[in-house]
Amino acid sequence: ILPMAREENVAVTTWGMLAGGVLTGKYRDPDSVRRYEGTSERGLSIGDVVVEIGSEIGHTPAQVAINWVRQQRNRAQIIPILGARTADQLLDNLGVLDFELEGEHLERLAALSDFQLGFPAAFLESSNVRNLIHGKTFDRIEWPRTG
């Protein structure tokens, strides 16, 4: 998506950059208030690295995660949508404007980010939804662009 957005000069709005708090490390605390019932070990491990980088540079994990997304400017024009629930969270999130991650940190995060489109792409590409939208004609559609 990002290469296409860059090529076509289309801005990309991003949301859910903290994965419901998983990337802040709070899911490692059994007493924390959580948005989701649980998360994958992979998600927890990525959160651990985000927390570690935040500790190294003196910024919160939320700031690290948001800045990683924000700093993908070489890939597309990125417009992060913040999802703060409190004024303190919003102020913390806006702290991303005061610093940028160094190359080493960007590389560490990129190595972990095996990005998958997820929702809504996975939903729209499912055979149930394709059949709902296209009936049994999806395989007969002639796409103007392939590959």
Side-chain angles (χ1 to χ4, degrees), residues 132-146:
L132 180 66
I133 295 171
H134 303 284
K136 302 215 183 248
T137 65
F138 183 80
D139 293 336
R140 293 190 242 158
I141 296 172
E142 293 181 26
W143 299 98
R145 296 182 186 182
T146 58

Side-chain angles (χ1 to χ4, degrees), residues 56-115:
E56 290 172 12
I57 63 174
H59 289 281
T60 66
Q63 291 171 340
V64 171
I66 294 168
N67 248 353
W68 184 81
V69 171
R70 192 175 72 84
Q71 286 182 243
Q72 303 304 305
R73 292 182 296 265
N74 62 327
R75 300 176 70 196
Q77 180 182 356
I78 305 288
I79 303 169
I81 298 174
L82 303 178
R85 295 178 188 268
T86 67
D88 286 342
Q89 287 177 344
L90 179 60
L91 289 173
D92 180 68
N93 289 180
L94 292 174
V96 303
L97 301 173
D98 297 332
F99 75 102
E100 290 203 349
L101 297 169
E102 299 293 328
E104 170 202 345
H105 301 122
L106 293 171
E107 289 171 16
R108 282 170 59 192
L109 293 167
L112 298 170
S113 70
D114 181 27
F115 182 74

Side-chain angles (χ1 to χ4, degrees), residues 1-12 72-78 115 117 145 147:
I1 288 178
L2 292 181
M4 180 181 73
R6 175 98 176 157
E7 181 68 28
E8 300 295 329
N9 198 29
V10 174
V12 176
Q72 303 304 305
R73 292 182 296 265
N74 62 327
R75 300 176 70 196
Q77 180 182 356
I78 305 288
F115 182 74
L117 291 177
R145 296 182 186 182

Side-chain angles (χ1 to χ4, degrees), residues 1-80:
I1 288 178
L2 292 181
M4 180 181 73
R6 175 98 176 157
E7 181 68 28
E8 300 295 329
N9 198 29
V10 174
V12 176
T13 54
T14 58
W15 55 279
M17 294 168 286
L18 304 181
V22 174
L23 297 183
T24 67
K26 75 178 188 176
Y27 279 64
R28 290 288 190 195
D29 176 2
D31 297 325
S32 69
V33 176
R34 301 170 181 207
R35 183 171 182 185
Y36 305 113
E37 289 293 319
T39 187
S40 69
E41 188 56 43
R42 180 178 179 273
L44 291 171
S45 295
I46 293 170
D48 292 343
V49 174
V50 172
V51 169
E52 184 179 297
I53 290 172
S55 292
E56 290 172 12
I57 63 174
H59 289 281
T60 66
Q63 291 171 340
V64 171
I66 294 168
N67 248 353
W68 184 81
V69 171
R70 192 175 72 84
Q71 286 182 243
Q72 303 304 305
R73 292 182 296 265
N74 62 327
R75 300 176 70 196
Q77 180 182 356
I78 305 288
I79 303 169

